[in-house]
Each structure stands twice: as C-alpha cells, then as structure tokens.
Amino acid sequence: GYSRSVSLRRVASHALCARRFRKMARTAPRPDAILVSYPTIELTRAAVDLGKEIGVPVVVDIRDLWPDIFVQVLPQALQAIGKFLLLPYDRLARKALRDADAIVAITEGIRDWGLAKAGRAPGPLDRDFPFGYSRRELPPSDLRAAEAFWTEHGVSDRNWNVCFFGAIGRQTRFEAIIAAARLLRHALPQVRFILCGTGEKLAAYERMARGLPNVSFPGWVDGNQIAALMKMSKMGLTAYPSSDDFLLSIPNKPIEYMSAGLPFLSNIDGTLGALIREHGVGVLYRSSEPASLVDAIAPLIDDPDALLSMANASAALFDREFDAARVYANYSRYLQEVAAVL
C-alpha cells in the first residue's frame, strides 16, 4: 500500500500487485474471459499476458488516461522532460492495449484514446459503457433523520440550494464557486452552495469562503444524507479541471445528480458539455469567469418552469442511459458475447 498518490512507494505497490497477480493467477481456475481495469498499467499488462498464455480473450476497461495525465499536471516548462521520463510507461501501455482483444471505456472519446494508443481502428467488440448508478429511495424514517441532520447544519429546502459531493483535493476547482457566492451574497441571498466532502484542499477553500453565509462545508456525509440533500437542492455542481481525462469523460457525479432528477451546473465542456446541450440536463459555466456561474443561476430562479424542464430531462436521461440495472446488464451480456466469439 501507499499513503501518498505521488510517491515511489506507489510505483512499487503497482509493480508488486502485478507480480502477485501473475503468481496467483497461474493456480486459479481457467476463466472464460478476463476483464481488467486500466489503470494500473502494470496489472493490465499482466492480465493481457496471461490471456495470451492460456488462450483466453482479454477486455481492457479504460477508466483513466495513464500515463498522459501525469504529463498534463506538470508545469508547461517541465512537460517535455516528464514525457521523456514516462516513455517506459507509455510503451508498456501501448503494448498492453495493442495486445488486448477488446477495449471498452466509460465514453466513446476515452475508448478512442485507448484505440489510438493501441494503433488500430475500432473493431466490433470495442464498446463504451457509462458509469451506472442506482437510484436511492430512502424509507421515511431514514429520510427524516437525514433531513434533521441538514436542519442542524442550517440547510433548508426554502433556500435555492446547489450541492456538491466528493473529494476536495487536487482535482477540485471551487475558486469560481466561492467568487460567485460573493457576487450573489446580497443580490440573491437565497442561493446557497453546500460543498460536501473532505480532502487536502478543504482548509484552503474554507479560508477562502470565510465570512460568506451562502457557502458551507459540512465535511464527509453518508449516503442517506446525500440523498436527502439532493431532494432539498435545485441543482448539483461539478467543479473539475479542464484536462483531457475530464473533457473526454462523463464523471460519476453528474450521473448521481441525474439519478435524483437534479439538473447540474458544469464547468467542463467536452463530452459532458455535449450531453448538456443535447439533452437539456444542466447549464455550463466558465471557471475563469465567476460571473458566468451567476448568469447560469439567476435566470432559473425567475423561471421555475425552465428548471422543472431540466429536472424532468435529467431524470429521463438517467433512466435511458445511466441506470445501473440497465448499464451492467448490457455489460454482462457483452462479456458473454466476448467469451462466445473469441
């Protein structure tokens, strides 16, 4: 194991995991197919090698754009050096993806990234399956307890609540939200941002929002409290960096919002922006312009019918494309197809 995401111990842990998998897999029953999550690169390589060795098809499921995203987080002046240092990982990734029998991912864009790494065109078994999520309906007693929790934290459904749930760390961008809250404090005091979670940047954001009554940081919350807050909110919120992994992705957070029939505000264009424009499930804003978040919210306060239309579209899209029962039933049938065809 490892405690820091950027460390030599993490590199060693990934290598050790792949080595142990190779050893244990040799004594395991022969499978009909192998599904391996990418990353890690080392474990993917080990799984693909095993499939070739025992004559079993291997599907690689891409969840993150390793090692490319490591280069993108470096300062511009260091990116060329970073790319050079990561060449061994890049070669390992390309070979693993090239030797896989099929590539799947959470979006078509990420799947195509993997195919480009593999150096081939899409085949009949290369697919995309989004994150699936199960709609959460609370028993009345659990809902009352969760609502009481929010009442204790000063949250009321009489306000125009915007909610966020997740880790508050390197991939969180709250600067525009806090700046927008400052602009909205007197103009639209009913708008409240409730930003739930913990992480390495929480203290910094709490300092940044000090003195703003329309921003709260309740910390970590459980599933019941999440479900109750979504019922008490008008919109959900995404606040991510505009890196390739997010631009090509539909993260799980917007899907969680849609499971509750909640439209959302997003600073990420790309695949998620296309989803918003096509289905009317939210509004885009720009992290570089806090006023754009104000401009996204203000018209909806005066037009509850437009907000209701977004909410209905959000619930309908979830039912069609993101409900876990539908997504993973399709995925299961797909894996059976791979085992039968290859």
Side-chain angles (χ1 to χ4, degrees):
Y2 52 91
S3 57
R4 292 175 58 237
S5 60
V6 181
S7 63
L8 291 175
R9 189 174 178 88
R10 182 178 185 178
V11 174
S13 177
H14 291 172
L16 181 62
C17 176
R19 191 157 60 245
R20 287 181 173 168
F21 169 78
R22 286 189 186 97
K23 182 178 179 180
M24 295 172 68
R26 293 184 188 284
T27 60
R30 184 181 184 275
D32 297 305
I34 297 172
L35 172 67
V36 59
S37 181
Y38 176 104
T40 65
I41 297 171
E42 296 91 339
L43 186 59
T44 301
R45 177 72 259 173
V48 170
D49 286 346
L50 176 68
K52 296 295 181 188
E53 181 182 326
I54 64 177
V56 167
V58 180
V59 177
V60 175
D61 184 346
I62 300 177
R63 299 280 157 156
D64 220 336
L65 310 186
W66 285 23
D68 295 16
I69 58 169
F70 300 146
V71 176
Q72 293 178 8
V73 299
L74 294 172
Q76 190 73 35
L78 298 177
Q79 288 191 1
I81 296 171
K83 195 169 184 178
F84 175 76
L85 293 174
L86 289 168
L87 273 177
Y89 269 117
D90 190 62
R91 291 193 188 103
L92 192 68
R94 289 178 185 277
K95 183 162 176 41
L97 293 169
R98 185 167 60 246
D99 291 346
D101 294 284
I103 292 174
V104 301
I106 56 173
T107 65
E108 185 177 332
I110 293 178
R111 184 208 65 179
D112 290 346
W113 174 91
L115 290 168
K117 284 280 185 193
R120 65 175 179 84
L125 292 176
D126 299 315
R127 309 278 178 85
D128 56 282
F129 297 94
F131 284 124
Y133 192 85
S134 296
R135 182 174 278 118
R136 192 181 185 95
E137 294 293 342
L138 295 184
S141 58
D142 289 348
L143 179 60
R144 285 193 296 272
E147 288 173 340
F149 169 86
W150 288 116
T151 299
E152 290 172 7
H153 281 74
V155 176
S156 167
D157 59 6
R158 291 189 297 274
N159 288 322
W160 212 92
N161 298 319
V162 180
C163 61
F164 170 90
F165 313 99
I168 302 176
R170 290 184 302 108
Q171 293 185 326
T172 312
R173 299 291 185 269
F174 282 165
E175 290 83 358
I177 287 91
I178 294 169
R182 208 172 298 279
L183 295 172
L184 288 164
R185 177 179 180 178
H186 299 296
L188 293 169
Q190 70 270 42
V191 177
R192 303 293 175 94
F193 296 95
I194 302 136
L195 310 175
C196 307
T198 61
E200 62 200 42
K201 290 181 70 174
L202 174 59
Y205 284 131
E206 286 178 325
R207 286 193 298 272
M208 195 180 297
R210 190 172 293 149
L212 291 176
N214 52 351
V215 180
S216 59
F217 293 93
W220 182 88
V221 291
D222 65 25
N224 288 356
Q225 291 155 0
I226 289 172
L229 181 56
M230 287 197 292
K231 283 183 177 293
M232 300 168 73
S233 297
K234 301 296 186 183
M235 300 191 83
L237 181 69
T238 70
Y240 300 121
S242 294
S243 53
D244 286 349
D245 49 336
F246 283 105
L247 289 171
L248 293 175
S249 179
I250 298 176
N252 60 353
K253 202 53 55 184
I255 297 169
E256 184 175 9
Y257 298 144
M258 287 188 283
S259 75
L262 203 60
F264 56 93
L265 296 150
S266 176
N267 67 326
I268 296 297
D269 206 332
T271 303
L272 188 58
L275 186 87
I276 289 170
R277 281 187 287 269
E278 181 178 354
H279 299 285
V281 294
V283 184
L284 289 162
Y285 70 95
R286 294 176 296 281
S287 291
S288 59
E289 299 176 30
S292 70
L293 182 55
V294 175
D295 292 341
I297 291 171
L300 295 174
I301 294 174
D302 295 329
D303 192 350
D305 289 341
L307 186 66
L308 179 60
S309 177
M310 280 186 189
N312 291 337
S314 185
L317 182 61
F318 174 83
D319 289 337
R320 289 197 309 273
E321 296 191 19
F322 300 110
D323 183 82
R326 181 187 297 270
V327 170
Y328 297 120
N330 290 338
Y331 206 156
S332 177
R333 285 191 291 270
Y334 162 76
L335 291 173
Q336 293 173 61
E337 178 187 351
V338 169
V341 168
L342 297 177

